[in-house]
Amino acid sequence: MSKKHGLEIMLKRLLGKDSREEQVVDGIRNHLRLLYDQCCLLVKLLKDEDVVLIERIMDIEREGDIIRRRVFSELFEGAFIPYMRPHLYRFVEICDRAMDTVEDVAKYYELAQVPSNLKEPAVSIAEMTSSMAELLLIAYDTFQKGKDLRDQMLAIRVYEKRIDDVDHTIRLEMKNISVTSFWEGWWLGELCRSLSLVSDIIEDAMDVLSLIQVSLR
Amino acid sequence: MNPITHWLYLTGGVFMGWGLGANDSANIFGTGVASGLIRYRTAVLVTAIFVILGAMLEGRKCITTISDLTSLSPLFSFICLIAAALTIAVLTFYAIPASTSQAIVGSLMGIALQSGHHPDYRLLIKIVICWICTPIGGIIFSVLLFRILKLLFLDRVKSVTILNLLFTFGILITGTYGAYALGANNVANVTGVYVASGILPPFHAALIGGLSIAIGVLTYSKKTMMTVGKGIVPLDPFSAMITVFSEALTLHVFTQVGVPVSSSQAVVGAVVGIGFARDYRTINYRMFGKIAIGWICTPLAAGLLALSLLFAVRQLPELPYYCFF
């Protein structure tokens, strides 16, 4: 056992229980795991065009809402010092917004089918988003251990930049797509917008996580 | 002495103690209460208990210094306290970090010069040096504690939940120590002059002084605690903890020297120290100017006010002599 780890265990025993904080920490981890699962399902949905997965994505979003409420309730009842609470609220809210946006993508997918020339870039964006969600989960575990988040942050920024590039390609391609009605065009536009928005939100979440770490040092 | 007069004179000290408790308790748990880390009720109870404990166990060290500074009659001790209390009220209104220690010594000097009692100048020089050293002590302790505790805890404890526990208990422990140090150091400002005039023996002076500070904490500290606390809250929890710890340590060191000093100036010094330890560009150098103004204005104003009050009292020949002595 390392000296640092030994000190942490000693302090934990000395200072007493921290179950409320542990519940918040576990709740946020579960929330992030759900976000990652949701992103993986989105990749499968766009790749395999299996619409049954839409319902599953929506279920995960509801599970995420339940966890978010539980974490908020623990924070409201006094988990963590007041200095940290606003940052933690914000982090959970941003992650929840990411899950809502993934759900939006799934809903729009049900309404507007992705044209064949857009399928590949859309799948590419979904895959990169899924990698970003995984990185966020890893970053959270790294944050919990108090280690440096720079690697994960850099990787997330690189992915986000790539997604922006692919998103630009999609927008250029969309000019040539003919639609039969206003709604068909609008749904497709919203699908593409929501798809690239998830990565922006994950990047925001990563920034908040790094902010919490910096503010405690 | 007439018992009614005796109690009348004591009201000055009790009032001074009440004001000191209501104001200076904010320097101890202000951050914790305003940020919601500690409940107000817990904070005031802990402060009241440890202020009394500090006053009883170590208050005598500073009481002796104040009583040795000059000899006084009971009436003069009463005037001293009233002049000091009024000075503090006016300077606090103008947001100058005034010190009760400086006010009481200033008024004592005013009275001593007027009544022809020569003060102990060597003791006075020692007191003035300690006043100047108070914010400097706050800065030094703050920088040292910041570096040491960062190395011991902040750099080694990585888990967010453990850090959270550390801050919660840290604020409580440092606050408790702060309350003890406040009682030990500042009780002399409240009842030290009564020992000089022979109204109270040192033990009773410590007890009454500690109790009156505790009453101030218990009855009227919420407003100042929230105001001061919210002003300090932008500090991160670790820095806030170090600030209170440094203030307590500064007060305790000067208690061992036997000189009552200002807790507010110790806190200001500690916050400046945090600025030095973290990033010197964040330091507001105008605060040094304000402290310097406080050093000059507080004893001067208290001394002049004490002289004026003494002059006013002497203009009342129709009052029976035994009312005052």
Side-chain angles (χ1 to χ4, degrees):
Chain A
M1 189 195 302
S2 70
K3 271 185 184 176
K4 283 178 186 177
H5 193 59
L7 179 74
E8 285 188 6
I9 291 174
M10 189 195 78
L11 283 170
K12 203 170 178 176
R13 282 184 187 160
L14 201 72
L15 302 178
K17 285 183 179 179
D18 55 347
S19 58
R20 191 169 276 168
E21 280 77 18
E22 290 291 356
Q23 279 182 27
V24 170
V25 167
D26 291 345
I28 295 176
R29 185 180 290 113
N30 291 338
H31 203 229
L32 290 174
R33 200 175 294 277
L34 284 179
L35 173 65
Y36 173 59
D37 291 347
Q38 210 188 19
C39 289
C40 290
L41 284 176
L42 185 70
V43 175
K44 223 174 164 205
L45 172 70
L46 295 177
K47 250 185 190 171
D48 304 346
E49 297 176 14
D50 182 2
V51 286
V52 179
L53 294 174
I54 295 171
E55 195 61 37
R56 181 69 197 119
I57 287 173
M58 284 157 72
D59 285 346
I60 290 180
E61 195 277 329
R62 275 192 291 274
E63 281 176 52
D65 277 348
I66 293 166
I67 292 176
R68 174 178 57 90
R69 278 187 214 110
R70 203 176 298 147
V71 169
F72 277 10
S73 155
E74 290 293 340
L75 286 171
F76 183 76
E77 283 168 23
F80 284 101
I81 54 173
Y83 179 80
M84 282 178 70
R85 278 180 219 151
H87 299 307
L88 290 170
Y89 272 121
R90 196 158 161 238
F91 180 70
V92 176
E93 258 179 7
I94 292 174
C95 293
D96 196 63
R97 195 148 57 84
M99 292 182 87
D100 288 344
T101 314
V102 174
E103 188 196 25
D104 286 347
V105 177
K107 279 180 183 170
Y108 287 124
Y109 185 83
E110 195 176 23
L111 297 168
Q113 288 296 316
V114 178
S116 56
N117 59 332
L118 292 188
K119 188 180 170 180
E120 200 192 314
V123 169
S124 166
I125 288 181
E127 280 174 342
M128 284 192 276
T129 306
S130 165
S131 302
M132 285 173 81
E134 191 182 8
L135 275 169
L136 188 64
L137 185 60
I138 294 168
Y140 182 72
D141 286 336
T142 313
F143 163 80
Q144 257 304 98
K145 289 170 192 160
K147 290 180 184 164
D148 203 346
L149 296 175
R150 255 179 294 183
D151 291 345
Q152 288 87 4
M153 207 152 93
L154 190 69
I156 280 180
R157 279 184 191 164
V158 169
Y159 271 125
E160 213 279 322
K161 173 77 181 69
R162 278 193 206 161
I163 288 174
D164 277 352
D165 293 342
V166 179
D167 181 54
H168 186 65
T169 316
I170 289 179
R171 280 168 204 277
L172 290 175
E173 283 287 322
M174 276 171 81
K175 278 196 305 187
N176 308 319
I177 295 167
S178 54
V179 287
T180 51
S181 70
F182 164 79
W183 288 109
E184 195 184 329
W186 193 76
W187 287 329
L188 186 63
E190 282 300 297
L191 188 149
C192 295
R193 192 190 63 81
S194 305
L195 188 61
S196 61
L197 186 64
V198 183
S199 63
D200 286 329
I201 299 170
I202 292 177
E203 195 188 24
D204 286 350
M206 185 65 216
D207 288 345
V208 171
L209 197 62
S210 124
L211 188 82
I212 300 173
Q213 195 178 52
V214 170
S215 69
L216 285 172
R217 300 286 154 196
Chain B
M1 189 197 296
N2 182 343
I4 297 170
T5 319
H6 184 268
W7 285 108
L8 178 76
Y9 286 156
L10 282 185
T11 53
V14 171
F15 178 63
M16 179 85 163
W18 178 81
L20 195 147
N23 271 298
D24 288 9
S25 58
N27 296 334
I28 298 164
F29 276 120
T31 319
V33 171
S35 64
L37 262 176
I38 298 164
R39 279 185 301 176
Y40 173 72
R41 193 181 290 182
T42 314
V44 291
L45 270 175
V46 169
T47 310
I49 291 166
F50 280 86
V51 157
I52 296 171
L53 212 62
M56 296 299 294
L57 295 177
E58 294 196 69
R60 195 182 286 216
K61 290 172 184 168
C62 295
I63 286 176
T64 314
T65 308
I66 292 291
S67 62
D68 287 350
L69 197 58
T70 186
S71 53
L72 286 171
S73 69
L75 170 67
F76 292 171
S77 67
F78 179 68
I79 291 173
C80 262
L81 283 166
I82 296 295
L86 286 173
T87 308
I88 291 293
V90 172
L91 290 181
T92 307
F93 181 78
Y94 288 104
I96 294 168
S99 150
T100 44
S101 326
Q102 289 165 1
I104 205 78
V105 172
S107 58
L108 268 173
M109 288 303 102
I111 297 272
L113 291 173
Q114 170 66 22
S115 59
H117 292 117
H118 287 289
D120 184 340
Y121 285 108
R122 282 184 67 183
L123 198 56
L124 183 65
I125 290 167
K126 181 184 165 186
I127 290 172
V128 172
I129 290 170
C130 287
W131 288 348
I132 295 166
C133 289
T134 306
I136 298 168
I139 293 172
I140 293 169
F141 282 131
S142 176
V143 172
L144 286 177
L145 285 172
F146 188 92
R147 298 257 157 89
I148 293 167
L149 293 181
K150 188 174 185 294
L151 207 70
L152 278 177
F153 294 106
L154 213 57
D155 291 348
R156 294 177 75 192
V157 177
K158 300 293 182 185
S159 161
V160 178
T161 47
I162 305 289
L163 266 180
N164 179 70
L165 273 176
L166 201 67
F167 292 146
T168 310
F169 281 86
I171 292 276
L172 187 68
I173 291 166
T174 52
T176 305
Y177 179 41
Y180 176 86
L182 181 76
N185 189 279
N186 276 202
V187 72
N189 300 332
V190 179
T191 45
V193 289
Y194 292 140
V195 179
S197 61
I199 295 180
L200 290 172
F203 178 79
H204 289 161
L207 179 67
I208 291 171
L211 282 171
S212 56
I213 297 173
I215 290 167
V217 174
L218 290 168
T219 57
Y220 206 67
S221 60
K222 192 167 190 174
K223 210 171 159 184
T224 41
M225 221 178 244
M226 298 307 279
T227 313
V228 173
K230 280 184 179 156
I232 302 175
V233 160
L235 285 176
D236 58 280
F238 182 67
S239 302
M241 200 173 83
I242 297 295
T243 303
V244 179
F245 196 6
S246 309
E247 177 220 352
L249 213 53
T250 309
L251 288 184
H252 206 185
V253 165
F254 284 110
T255 306
Q256 305 316 309
V257 178
V259 176
V261 291
S262 162
S263 62
S264 308
Q265 291 181 3
V267 162
V268 172
V271 174
V272 172
I274 294 288
F276 277 123
R278 275 196 182 280
D279 182 0
Y280 66 90
R281 283 171 299 183
T282 58
I283 296 166
N284 180 4
Y285 288 98
R286 287 176 69 184
M287 191 48 93
F288 288 114
K290 270 198 163 184
I291 293 179
I293 292 170
W295 277 336
I296 299 161
C297 284
T298 315
L300 206 67
L304 287 172
L305 195 61
L307 279 175
S308 312
L309 285 173
L310 189 61
F311 179 76
V313 166
R314 282 179 171 165
Q315 301 307 307
L316 305 168
E318 70 274 11
L319 281 174
Y321 186 75
Y322 60 79
C323 279
F324 301 121
F325 296 96

